[in-house]
Structures are given as structure tokens and as C-alpha cells.
Amino acid sequence: EVQLVESGGGLVQPGGSLRLSCAASGFTFSSYWMHWVRQAPGKGLVWVSRINSDGSSTSYADSVKGRFTISRDNAKNTLYLQMNSLRAEDTAVYYCARDPRPGVAEYFQHWGQGTLVTVSS
Amino acid sequence: SYVLTQPPSVSVAPGQTARITCGGNNIGSKSVHWYQQKPGQAPVLVVYDDSDRPSGIPERFSGSNSGNTATLTISRVEAGDEADYYCQVWDSSSDHHYVFGTGTKVTVL
């Protein structure tokens, strides 16, 4: 069974940093592209970032480009999101998500339960 | 960037049919995917590639896509179908690639 478990969320002051983790199990992690998707309270889903299977290629939404860094450790089956220069508008539940199968990167078949990031003084 | 527009809400009586639209410029040329999200839960994929269903999703959920509108249809609606629904496409012309619709709240009367 595919499992994605996020951690690392919490309360942080504006301008601060936080690193999210997503522990993966139940599949060959190193074969799949992975993503972060966020959802502000009461709002819709927004794609944040993706990384390819070996970590050599990344992409970001304009709203986080230059502030967030996605990475992965295939030996530890873990996905990360380093978030710097955090703003109030980054407050959201952050989900990690997986593609349906290797080589297909158009939608999200599996999702974690999410971790809440609150940016506030 | 590519924009997907959904109606904010749809109301339907139990046993009836709910239709949720997703509008986008020439969306019929793209593959559309749909997610169901219940309060406090992660999204669940209910339709992919316009009209295919993942295993475990009831046949009551179906999709279509043509022209400038994609549609998710829920037949014989049940109380448990009450949720938010989001469409999503992969926009190969954009560096942002993954675009979600604005979301539709389905209320079962």
C-alpha cells in the first residue's frame, strides 16, 4: 500500500524558515516524480513544486520561486520542501503527492494527509 | 497562465444527477483529471484522463471533455458524495504545468 506521511509543519514568524518532509513507503520511491501541493484555509488546491525521479530536475510555482527548494533523498525514501522567507500568504496545508506510475507525470494518484504551516507573528 | 473555471456550488437531491463543469480555453485538447475532497481530508482522484476511473471509484462517477468545457457527472447522488470537487490539467505550454480549477462545493439536499 502506498503511504505518504508529511511532517515538519508548525507556526513560524514571517521571514522565517521551515523544512517539510514526506516519508514514502509501499512503492519504489526512486522511480516516481513527486510534488508538493498546498491549500490555504478555506481555499482551493495550488500546485507548488515538483521534482523528477533522480532529483536532477525541479519546477516551481511563481509564488514560491526563489524562496522554496524541493529535494529528495532516494536512499531514505523521503521528499523535502525547504521554505525560506516565509510570508503570511504561505499559510496552508501542504500535501505531498505522487504520480500514477513512472513516466506519467500529469496528475496525482496518491496524496499524503498534509501538514499545516502557519506563518504569523 | 492557463485558467480553469468552475461554478462555486452545485446542489442536488439524493438519487439525482450532479454535473460539475470545468471551463478552459480549448480544454478539449487536454486531459482533465478530477479530485474529490471531503472536509479535513486529502484529495482523492475520482476521474483521470477525461473519463477513466481509478480502481475503487464507483461507476456513478464519469467524465467528459470537449471544446472549452469538461464535465464531471455524478449519477444517483448519495449523501456521501457531498464534498469539494476540483478539476486539474497538465499544461505543457506553461512552466507551471499543473493547474487546478477553482473548485465546486457539491451539496446534497
Side-chain angles (χ1 to χ4, degrees):
Chain A
E1 179 192 4
V2 173
Q3 286 204 331
L4 301 170
V5 180
E6 301 94 336
S7 61
L11 175 64
V12 60
Q13 293 188 339
S17 299
L18 210 57
R19 188 176 83 156
L20 306 182
S21 299
C22 172
S25 61
F27 65 100
T28 304
F29 181 70
S30 59
S31 296
Y32 290 83
W33 290 29
M34 297 293 297
H35 306 261
W36 288 99
V37 176
R38 71 183 181 184
Q39 185 172 36
K43 302 297 186 181
L45 300 169
V46 177
W47 172 80
V48 173
S49 182
R50 69 96 179 134
I51 187 167
N52 70 346
S53 54
D54 67 4
S56 62
S57 174
T58 59
S59 182
Y60 300 90
D62 280 348
S63 57
V64 307
K65 197 174 295 183
R67 300 187 300 122
F68 289 12
T69 302
I70 190 172
S71 63
R72 64 192 296 160
D73 185 335
N74 285 344
K76 295 183 177 180
N77 292 342
T78 303
L79 174 72
Y80 301 102
L81 186 67
Q82 177 67 43
M83 304 185 294
N84 298 330
S85 304
L86 282 161
R87 307 166 180 167
E89 54 265 36
D90 295 319
T91 294
V93 173
Y94 285 74
Y95 296 100
C96 69
R98 200 206 81 176
D99 294 334
R101 55 191 179 275
V104 177
E106 296 188 14
Y107 58 96
F108 315 105
Q109 176 103 44
H110 299 280
W111 298 68
Q113 85 289 350
T115 187
L116 176 62
V117 173
T118 303
V119 184
S120 175
S121 54
Chain B
S1 61
Y2 196 73
V3 176
L4 296 174
T5 303
Q6 299 179 234
S9 62
V10 167
S11 297
V12 59
Q16 300 304 303
T17 298
R19 293 180 179 85
I20 306 161
T21 58
C22 176
N25 184 33
N26 197 26
I27 195 173
S29 67
K30 303 179 185 300
S31 291
V32 180
H33 320 290
W34 292 90
Y35 303 88
Q36 174 194 70
Q37 186 181 33
K38 297 181 179 179
Q41 297 184 20
V44 173
L45 180 71
V46 293
V47 167
Y48 66 96
D49 290 347
D50 296 341
S51 58
D52 291 333
R53 282 184 313 277
S55 62
I57 300 300
E59 292 183 4
R60 300 185 298 102
F61 289 83
S62 62
S64 62
N65 184 20
S66 179
N68 292 317
T69 305
T71 303
L72 175 69
T73 301
I74 310 173
S75 303
R76 302 181 299 283
V77 166
E78 303 173 357
D81 298 331
E82 187 162 288
D84 294 325
Y85 292 83
Y86 295 90
C87 58
Q88 178 253 315
V89 300
W90 181 69
D91 181 21
S92 59
S93 66
S94 163
D95 189 41
H96 311 300
H97 294 317
Y98 306 92
V99 181
F100 287 96
T102 49
T104 299
K105 168 68 175 178
V106 170
T107 299
V108 181
L109 301 171

